[in-house]
Amino acid sequence: MSDDNADKADDGIQISVQRTEDVDKEKKKKRRPNRRSKQNPSVLGAGHSSVNKIHGDASECLGNGSSSDYVSLSMNTSSSKQFGLEVHASDDHGLTRASNVAFNSLPTMHVTGVAASVEVGSMQGQHVFPSDLDEKLFSKSCPEKICREVASGSFLNKEFLHSHQSEGCDMQRKYFAPHWSVEAVNEALKKGGAFKSSFRVNAHNRLEAYCTIDGVPTDVLISGVAAQNRAVAGLHLGDPLSSLVEGDIVAVEVDPLVFWARMKESAGHYNNCNVPPKVVEVGGSCKGKDKIDVDCAYTVSRNSLLLPDRRFLQDNHFTGCSSEQNDASNSVGMICSMISSLPSKRPTGKVVAILEWSPRRNAVVGFLSVKQWISCRQGYKKNTKKNKNFMSFSNWEYIQLTPTDPKFPKMMVSVSGLPDCIKKRLEEGDATLEMELVAARIYDWGEENLLPLALVMHILGRGGEIEPQIAAILFENAICTADFSSGALSCLPTVPWAVPKEELESRRDLRNFCTFTIDPSTATDLDDALSVEKVSNDIFRVCVHIADVSYFVLPDSTLDIEAQIRSTSVYILQHKLPMLPKLLSEDLGSLIPGEDRLAFSIILDINLAGDVVDRWIGRTVIRSCCKLSYQHAQDIIDGLMDMECRSTLENGCPKLHDGFEWPDVIRCVKSLHEISKTLRENRFKDGALLLESSKLVFLFDEYGIPYDSMLCEPKDSNFLVEEFMLLANKTAAEVISRAFPNCALLRRHPEPNMRKIREFEAFCSKHGLEMDTSSSGQLHLSLGKIREHLNNDPVLFDILISYASRPMQLAVYFCTGDLEDREHDWAHYSLSVPLYTHFTSPLRRYPDIIVHRTLAAAVEAEDMYLQQRKMLQKVYRGEAVTRKLFADICFDKDAAESKEGQEALLAAALKHRVLSTEILGDVAAYCNKRKLASRHAEIAGGKVYLWALLKKKEILISEARVLGLGPKFMSIYIHKLAIERRINYDEVKGLTAEWLETTSTLVLDLRMNKRSQRRGSPGRCRTLEDVAWVISPCDLNQKLVENTHEGKATEIVGATGVELKEPEPIYMPDNSDGEIDPAVFPLTVRLFSTISVALHAVGGDGGPLDIVARLYMSSYFQ
């Protein structure tokens, strides 16, 4: 997780660059107040003596997935183009292997802004940051000319675009320092003068960017446009459990200690407890818990970060390590030492090179400033008539693009490069074009360009409609929406299809088992089924059947390549983008009831204590008898479905097949439920952690439009399926990692950020809540006790769960060979298991298909070995589970490492195309990025539907809890919608905000006198209506909102898949009933206070979608 979520922005910090000699000129100008200032923005000098401007291809520098800190390919800094721009571009990509696929798939990541950096007015809490290496100085405000032109919104800015109108002038204005050369960066990375990092930006303040350096516990602040130096931002998904999405991979130079910033403080944010970590970790996960000697000598360099003192490195070559390697590690150690010694300080720095471009540069969504362009064009036409020598407008005509994401700056688009349909509408003066979302990409951002240059590719649609917004989300995340190719479809058998005879003979036949699926009622891709039988008084045989997708998707086939590129199915409420063709995912591979289907089964003998005493793994043929929904299973668990229920569709009961009766199904569901309860209890005893809160689901009418929503929690039927899927995944991980220890695809969950987890513990202690974060198990126990303590306050507990989730890192796929010497890093923190993988969803996750192939190779190698050793025992159908050697609970390591065992494993690996370590590592990295993109798309899609719901209701009154509190804004949590919002009350006309630091209390009151209090720029002051919806007490008996819907729900869709029969809709308050009363002035607010808020949807046509929260107040003095 990133520090930009914890350190909320107050006001933007404005920074520009001047030559040292210009400072003296400014002093002279101040002595002449009657003369108008004529500041000239200076040209940034080189940041290093060996820095050369590099012009090259816009390709990634470390795009091969290498983890090296050194740059081996050519870096690029955007070179300026002449105005005869060739802007015809295409991004057609052919199908390739995953190891060669460009990873242009991450969720929204945006360029750090410029427009916000040039606001006029006094700025509080500013810091002076160091200059470039040639001792240029950073001033506290942008040059006057830049402020005037950008703040005015001019998009035909001659200063910004180019200064080539004077043919004889070779000197162009430089707004940014040139990026370092490849040689300079490599040298700095070796010696610790610069560090490789991912770049990301604070969503609330584009001037605040952050970079995480491996081994450094605190993120480095990159403040201001000049320091950010054209880097493109990363994005946080807004989900506490999610990781930060990468922006540009950059080289960062850390500033000297004297320029470090002060940590920001805000009541309610637990990371401000200023609890210094007890142990400083260095070198990332590779080095573990090495402690840094705080007394280690260092020197503060004027031009760089804390470089080690050379006097202590003279004899390093005698240790076998190079001096340069020690330079880099020691530099990290010095930074850690200073952070540990000065916990109130945050390191600062600047971007000196972009090592790898973010894929988000090719996925920008925004609106064109059409009305402004039309108005400006008319003015230029008049000037052209008056001055015949005026430069032709068509030669350098640009229009402004405003991205929907606030972390992007405004961009300039060449009109000549627009698609013909857009140019035609511009020529016709069609102002409605401004309401259309467009898809664009950044193609250039040179040192002489204040704003990036972008190319618009196509129109997505009207911004206020759902479908164009969903299309924008898919574009931003590079989600494939194309139909499957004819070559991919030709890989599938024709229908009608039946299980081939040879498969029936070679597989274990389990069609006589009472097998069924449990899924959401709307699910069509049924990839898992369960069955159970009682073997003895204390042994149950549980069968987990997973669709054998690898039978249809052969390695390196066209279908396999397309599935690999998509990597995962994407579900956005009413939209589904499958990883596999519908014929396979919903028919041939889906475990449809009443049809013979191929499966990969894990059969587990489990005793009453929940222990697995025996198991069998192999390929099978099954036949499901019915499709149960989660609600059906829950009704059985709750005893609402009796034994007399008939095999009919009446009363909502699914149809039964193959002679099975409802008593058979009910008995099996109840048995599975009892076993799952034992498994779940054992899992949490063993240290598992659960961080789960209520999920928001929507009710849709017959047209697919949301008309209401509700909060939903998982039920026992969800937990039933979850426990057996977890057990199957764990079992598969054990087998493949033993058989193929260097090329198994596993899933690991690193331990949480140590600093943040300690800060959370300190936060809980401060508020009287006992919290032990020493392990995942202790954290779970502590949360359980707090839940009981807060039994009457589930909202507060949800808030604590959100806080506890923020230190968590993201679970990722990895190749075991990449962490061969670090098996302790294979573990899954939240599940508290040493080995875990994904095996149970091959219809919608490509990693599961890889695991199926690897598991099939392990099972076949075992059979080959036993045949060679003449030890294969004949397996009779229905007999006890046969003990194995590789797939057994007790792994026979000697057999696996023997000559015969290695030969069998190699032959099976070649047959099933088990991937090598290098290729599998690339596939794992790609799948991680695609999974993250899918997750972001699903979250963003949910926000679109929530926006549409509130837009339809016009306004919603709700209660909210205060999450964070400070002198300028508060963060609130609206439990009814499961969202967080921010209310800013700084510099509001007619409102006073008194912040009591000692008690962390805020008092808001109306200012009775008309004289406004202006601490900053007049243009930045907000009106009272922006912050609060103030109504008269006389109006309280009137109905606030009347927007009911008479349609019926067709389905309930949510992340958990949980269904409820009669959901409680969002309450649209009638003030006559007095359900939610407005607050009155003066309003006193403390952390975790409950306040009334008014919510409404804004944006859409011409602006980004947003849900605005305002205080819901009552006053006669409105």
Side-chain angles (χ1 to χ4, degrees):
M1 311 304 286
S2 66
D3 287 331
D4 51 322
N5 277 338
D7 296 329
K8 302 298 183 180
D10 293 333
D11 289 316
I13 301 175
Q14 302 179 2
I15 297 177
S16 65
V17 180
Q18 296 177 320
R19 293 185 181 275
T20 53
E21 56 265 32
D22 290 340
V23 177
D24 296 331
K25 295 180 181 179
E26 283 301 309
K27 293 179 179 179
K28 295 178 181 179
K29 289 178 181 180
K30 290 179 180 179
R31 300 191 189 106
R32 294 177 290 178
N34 294 329
R35 299 185 63 176
R36 184 177 179 180
S37 174
K38 296 182 180 180
Q39 277 184 311
N40 291 321
S42 60
V43 180
L44 289 174
H48 193 277
S49 58
S50 62
V51 173
N52 297 313
K53 183 177 179 182
I54 303 299
H55 297 276
D57 183 30
S59 61
E60 70 272 16
C61 295
L62 295 174
N64 58 357
S66 172
S67 60
S68 172
D69 281 344
Y70 303 138
V71 183
S72 57
L73 301 180
S74 62
M75 291 185 302
N76 56 77
T77 56
S78 303
S79 58
S80 61
K81 309 293 188 296
Q82 296 301 319
F83 281 99
L85 292 173
E86 295 183 3
V87 288
H88 308 287
S90 62
D91 290 329
D92 297 331
H93 299 287
L95 297 177
T96 60
R97 294 180 60 86
S99 58
N100 298 324
V101 172
F103 294 165
N104 57 348
S105 57
L106 291 180
T108 315
M109 293 173 257
H110 299 296
V111 179
T112 182
V114 173
S117 69
V118 291
E119 296 173 351
V120 182
S122 62
M123 310 297 291
Q124 297 182 359
Q126 296 187 90
H127 302 280
V128 180
F129 293 92
S131 64
D132 286 303
L133 297 181
D134 56 355
E135 297 185 355
K136 293 177 180 61
L137 300 178
F138 284 77
S139 68
K140 292 187 178 181
S141 62
C142 288
E144 180 183 351
K145 192 163 189 177
I146 299 179
C147 287
R148 182 177 68 253
E149 291 175 347
V150 180
S152 66
S154 171
F155 54 90
L156 292 171
N157 187 340
K158 290 177 284 184
E159 296 289 339
F160 154 67
L161 291 173
H162 284 285
S163 58
H164 71 286
Q165 294 183 32
S166 301
E167 297 294 338
C169 181
D170 296 331
M171 186 67 177
Q172 295 183 4
R173 172 175 297 169
K174 306 287 185 177
Y175 292 97
F176 298 98
H179 290 145
W180 291 7
S181 67
V182 177
E183 295 78 10
V185 170
N186 279 333
E187 187 72 12
L189 292 176
K190 291 177 184 178
K191 295 185 175 181
F195 301 91
K196 180 181 174 182
S197 177
S198 174
F199 184 83
R200 58 191 187 273
V201 167
N202 186 333
H204 298 286
N205 184 0
R206 200 168 59 230
L207 293 178
E208 285 190 356
Y210 296 89
C211 287
T212 301
I213 297 175
D214 288 341
V216 177
T218 303
D219 290 341
V220 177
L221 172 66
I222 312 296
S223 182
V225 176
Q228 293 169 8
N229 203 359
R230 294 164 287 159
V232 171
L235 174 70
H236 195 278
L237 305 185
D239 179 0
L241 287 176
S242 67
S243 176
L244 189 79
V245 179
E246 290 182 355
D248 283 343
I249 305 300
V250 300
V252 177
E253 184 184 40
V254 179
D255 294 332
L257 176 63
V258 293
F259 295 105
W260 286 15
R262 180 177 59 87
M263 285 282 195
K264 295 182 179 178
E265 297 183 2
S266 172
H269 292 284
Y270 58 79
N271 61 333
N272 294 306
C273 296
N274 291 329
V275 179
K278 298 178 182 178
V279 179
V280 179
E281 297 185 11
V282 180
S285 56
C286 181
K287 297 297 182 182
K289 316 277 186 179
D290 296 336
K291 293 186 178 180
I292 296 299
D293 184 1
V294 179
D295 297 326
C296 182
Y298 61 89
T299 59
V300 179
S301 170
R302 179 177 178 82
N303 296 325
S304 62
L305 65 109
L306 309 171
L307 289 175
D309 193 326
R310 292 294 177 189
R311 293 172 298 175
F312 296 88
L313 300 174
Q314 297 300 317
D315 298 326
N316 281 346
H317 62 280
F318 294 110
T319 65
C321 299
S322 70
S323 174
E324 292 177 345
Q325 291 174 333
N326 282 334
D327 283 352
S329 61
N330 286 347
S331 295
V332 171
M334 303 307 172
I335 298 174
C336 292
S337 299
M338 300 311 300
I339 292 174
S340 179
S341 303
L342 301 170
S344 62
K345 288 285 189 178
R346 175 184 292 281
T348 60
K350 57 178 174 287
V351 173
V352 296
I354 299 177
L355 309 183
E356 180 180 342
W357 280 12
S358 168
R360 280 293 292 121
R361 289 176 177 259
N362 294 323
V364 181
V365 173
F367 295 93
L368 294 172
S369 300
V370 175
K371 295 178 181 177
Q372 192 178 21
W373 182 89
I374 293 174
S375 175
C376 190
R377 186 186 189 195
Q378 292 173 350
Y380 272 96
K381 283 185 176 180
K382 294 179 181 179
N383 290 334
T384 304
K385 293 179 180 179
K386 295 179 181 179
N387 186 0
K388 294 182 179 180
N389 296 326
F390 193 81
M391 184 178 179
S392 174
F393 182 69
S394 60
N395 288 339
W396 57 292
E397 195 172 46
Y398 277 72
I399 188 170
Q400 184 172 277
L401 171 67
T402 303
T404 55
D405 194 291
K407 287 194 269 186
F408 265 119
K410 293 181 179 180
M411 302 177 187
M412 307 306 294
V413 177
S414 171
V415 174
S416 62
L418 289 172
D420 292 339
C421 61
I422 297 181
K423 285 194 288 187
K424 182 179 179 182
R425 292 176 66 177
L426 280 177
E427 291 293 336
E428 295 173 352
D430 185 359
T432 62
L433 181 60
E434 190 163 275
M435 296 186 290
E436 303 276 3
L437 278 172
V438 297
R441 66 180 180 86
I442 300 173
Y443 72 89
D444 188 32
W445 197 357
E447 303 160 19
E448 66 284 352
N449 294 341
L450 185 58
L451 301 179
L453 304 181
L455 173 69
V456 172
M457 293 178 280
H458 58 270
I459 294 178
L460 297 167
R462 188 64 65 90
E465 299 175 0
I466 292 178
E467 291 305 317
Q469 289 289 343
I470 297 299
I473 292 171
L474 299 177
F475 171 74
E476 286 180 319
N477 295 282
I479 305 295
C480 181
T481 59
D483 295 333
F484 288 90
S485 67
S486 57
L489 296 176
S490 66
C491 297
L492 297 175
T494 58
V495 289
W497 175 83
V499 175
K501 181 179 178 181
E502 57 270 19
E503 293 300 323
L504 287 173
E505 294 175 351
S506 62
R507 292 170 178 256
R508 188 168 181 173
D509 193 345
L510 302 178
R511 289 177 291 178
N512 60 336
F513 280 44
C514 180
T515 303
F516 47 84
T517 60
I518 304 176
D519 289 282
S521 60
T522 57
T524 55
D525 45 356
L526 312 177
D527 48 15
D528 60 87
L530 295 170
S531 61
V532 63
E533 62 176 346
K534 192 171 185 179
V535 178
S536 63
N537 290 334
D538 59 348
I539 300 292
F540 284 88
R541 180 163 296 164
V542 178
C543 302
V544 180
H545 310 287
I546 307 300
D548 191 1
V549 179
S550 60
Y551 171 83
F552 299 97
V553 183
L554 301 179
D556 293 331
S557 64
T558 305
L559 179 58
D560 180 52
I561 294 172
E562 290 199 27
Q564 189 175 350
I565 291 174
R566 296 174 189 245
S567 185
T568 180
S569 296
V570 181
Y571 302 89
I572 307 179
L573 295 177
Q574 299 290 296
H575 303 75
K576 174 185 174 182
L577 293 102
M579 181 187 73
L580 296 169
K582 189 175 181 180
L583 176 61
L584 177 57
S585 62
E586 298 184 9
D587 189 356
L588 302 177
S590 184
L591 305 182
I592 301 172
E595 300 287 344
D596 291 349
R597 287 294 180 260
L598 302 179
F600 213 133
S601 301
I602 296 182
I603 302 177
L604 305 165
D605 285 358
I606 304 175
N607 61 23
L608 297 179
D611 301 321
V612 177
V613 296
D614 206 350
R615 70 188 182 202
W616 180 91
I617 302 173
R619 285 176 152 162
T620 59
V621 180
I622 68 167
R623 189 179 180 91
S624 173
C625 71
C626 70
K627 174 190 174 185
L628 296 176
S629 69
Y630 281 113
Q631 191 60 51
H632 292 141
Q634 189 61 44
D635 289 343
I636 293 175
I637 293 171
D638 294 338
L640 301 179
M641 188 177 291
D642 55 36
M643 296 289 187
E644 300 300 323
C645 185
R646 300 299 179 185
S647 177
T648 177
L649 292 176
E650 296 179 2
N651 301 323
C653 295
K655 182 180 179 180
L656 294 181
H657 299 266
D658 304 322
F660 287 101
E661 301 291 338
W662 275 109
D664 301 324
V665 176
I666 292 173
R667 181 175 59 255
C668 289
V669 171
K670 289 188 174 181
S671 296
L672 289 171
H673 172 56
E674 293 302 320
I675 299 170
S676 70
K677 288 197 301 183
T678 304
L679 293 175
R680 186 175 179 83
E681 182 180 352
N682 291 346
R683 192 161 59 85
F684 288 115
K685 283 182 179 178
D686 291 339
L689 170 65
L690 178 65
L691 296 174
E692 180 123 2
S693 57
S694 302
K695 304 295 182 183
L696 185 71
V697 296
F698 294 90
L699 296 165
F700 294 92
D701 61 19
E702 56 185 319
Y703 303 104
I705 305 299
Y707 72 88
D708 221 324
S709 67
M710 64 179 182
L711 291 175
C712 204
E713 295 185 2
K715 295 186 176 181
D716 289 340
S717 57
N718 299 89
F719 297 142
L720 183 156
V721 176
E722 179 186 36
E723 290 305 317
F724 293 112
M725 298 303 110
L726 290 174
L727 186 56
N729 287 334
K730 176 185 174 183
T731 302
E734 291 177 356
V735 175
I736 64 175
S737 61
R738 290 170 174 176
F740 303 100
N742 292 323
C743 45
L745 182 65
L746 301 185
R747 189 163 176 82
R748 69 188 185 97
H749 184 206
E751 292 184 356
N753 182 292
M754 194 61 64
R755 177 181 62 85
K756 293 182 179 181
I757 200 70
R758 288 184 180 130
E759 289 167 351
F760 170 64
E761 186 174 4
F763 169 83
C764 292
S765 176
K766 178 180 178 181
H767 294 280
L769 301 173
E770 185 176 350
M771 181 65 62
D772 184 355
T773 61
S774 58
S775 67
S776 57
Q778 290 301 317
L779 177 57
H780 178 79
L781 291 175
S782 298
L783 289 172
K785 294 177 181 178
I786 292 177
R787 179 192 285 271
E788 295 177 0
H789 179 69
L790 301 176
N791 188 35
N792 296 326
D793 196 347
V795 177
L796 180 56
F797 184 74
D798 279 353
I799 293 173
L800 288 176
I801 290 293
S802 175
Y803 278 0
S805 301
R806 293 176 184 180
M808 300 300 158
Q809 301 190 60
L810 186 69
V812 293
Y813 298 110
F814 73 101
C815 172
T816 51
D818 290 337
L819 299 177
E820 183 178 4
D821 299 327
R822 298 158 51 192
E823 291 191 18
H824 61 281
D825 288 332
W826 297 11
H828 199 290
Y829 174 80
S830 62
L831 295 177
S832 190
V833 294
L835 300 169
Y836 189 71
T837 192
H838 276 166
F839 164 77
T840 55
S841 297
L843 288 174
R844 59 185 178 88
R845 290 189 308 230
Y846 188 77
D848 299 55
I849 297 179
I850 295 178
V851 171
H852 276 229
R853 293 170 182 165
T854 311
L855 189 60
V859 171
E860 184 161 339
E862 182 176 65
D863 293 340
M864 294 168 61
Y865 174 81
L866 292 176
Q867 286 178 353
Q868 187 174 5
R869 301 280 298 186
K870 297 181 180 181
M871 295 175 58
L872 181 64
Q873 299 178 0
K874 187 176 181 181
V875 178
Y876 296 94
R877 295 182 180 129
E879 291 186 357
V881 176
T882 304
R883 180 169 297 279
K884 298 285 186 176
L885 298 176
F886 297 166
D888 191 41
I889 296 175
C890 299
F891 176 64
D892 193 337
K893 186 176 181 180
D894 293 337
E897 294 180 350
S898 66
K899 179 181 178 181
E900 296 85 354
Q902 288 295 301
E903 290 175 350
L905 287 169
L906 177 59
L910 292 174
K911 177 181 178 181
H912 292 276
R913 307 292 290 274
V914 175
L915 299 176
S916 65
T917 298
E918 181 180 358
I919 295 178
L920 186 58
D922 290 340
V923 172
Y926 179 75
C927 289
N928 287 330
K929 295 186 178 185
R930 297 311 311 149
K931 184 175 180 64
L932 204 55
S934 170
R935 184 171 190 171
H936 178 223
E938 293 167 8
I939 293 173
K943 292 178 180 178
V944 169
Y945 278 95
L946 179 59
W947 178 89
L949 175 63
L950 291 182
K951 189 74 172 179
K952 189 173 185 179
K953 290 182 177 293
E954 296 183 0
I955 196 164
L956 171 67
I957 306 301
S958 177
E959 289 186 340
R961 298 294 284 270
V962 177
L963 289 177
L965 197 59
K968 297 186 179 182
F969 66 87
M970 71 174 73
S971 298
I972 60 173
Y973 175 70
I974 300 97
H975 183 254
K976 192 183 294 283
L977 302 178
I979 60 173
E980 294 183 19
R981 279 298 176 267
R982 174 182 287 197
I983 298 178
N984 294 278
Y985 36 77
D986 183 46
E987 297 186 16
V988 178
K989 296 179 181 179
L991 184 70
T992 61
E994 184 180 1
W995 173 247
L996 307 178
E997 185 72 35
T998 55
T999 59
S1000 297
T1001 303
L1002 174 71
V1003 179
L1004 297 175
D1005 199 1
L1006 293 176
R1007 185 181 298 113
M1008 304 309 298
N1009 58 345
K1010 297 298 181 181
R1011 186 171 54 186
S1012 64
Q1013 178 184 357
R1014 296 184 179 179
R1015 291 171 289 177
S1017 169
R1020 300 184 59 192
C1021 290
R1022 287 179 290 270
T1023 64
L1024 181 61
E1025 290 73 19
D1026 294 334
V1027 178
W1029 185 28
V1030 184
I1031 64 171
S1032 171
C1034 301
D1035 299 331
L1036 288 179
N1037 293 327
Q1038 299 179 5
K1039 195 172 184 178
L1040 297 175
V1041 178
E1042 188 174 352
N1043 189 6
T1044 59
H1045 197 288
E1046 297 179 357
K1048 287 185 76 175
T1050 58
E1051 59 178 311
I1052 303 172
V1053 184
T1056 60
V1058 182
E1059 302 166 271
L1060 297 181
K1061 289 185 175 179
E1062 297 181 358
E1064 180 183 355
I1066 292 179
Y1067 175 71
M1068 298 305 298
D1070 185 338
N1071 275 9
S1072 61
D1073 297 333
E1075 292 290 342
I1076 299 179
D1077 295 324
V1080 296
F1081 291 108
L1083 176 65
T1084 302
V1085 183
R1086 296 181 179 85
L1087 188 64
F1088 301 139
S1089 294
T1090 300
I1091 60 175
S1092 299
V1093 295
L1095 302 165
H1096 58 99
V1098 299
D1101 292 334
L1105 305 186
D1106 196 10
I1107 296 173
V1108 175
R1110 295 185 293 168
L1111 298 171
Y1112 178 41
M1113 307 296 296
S1114 174
S1115 174
Y1116 287 105
F1117 305 99
Q1118 57 176 325

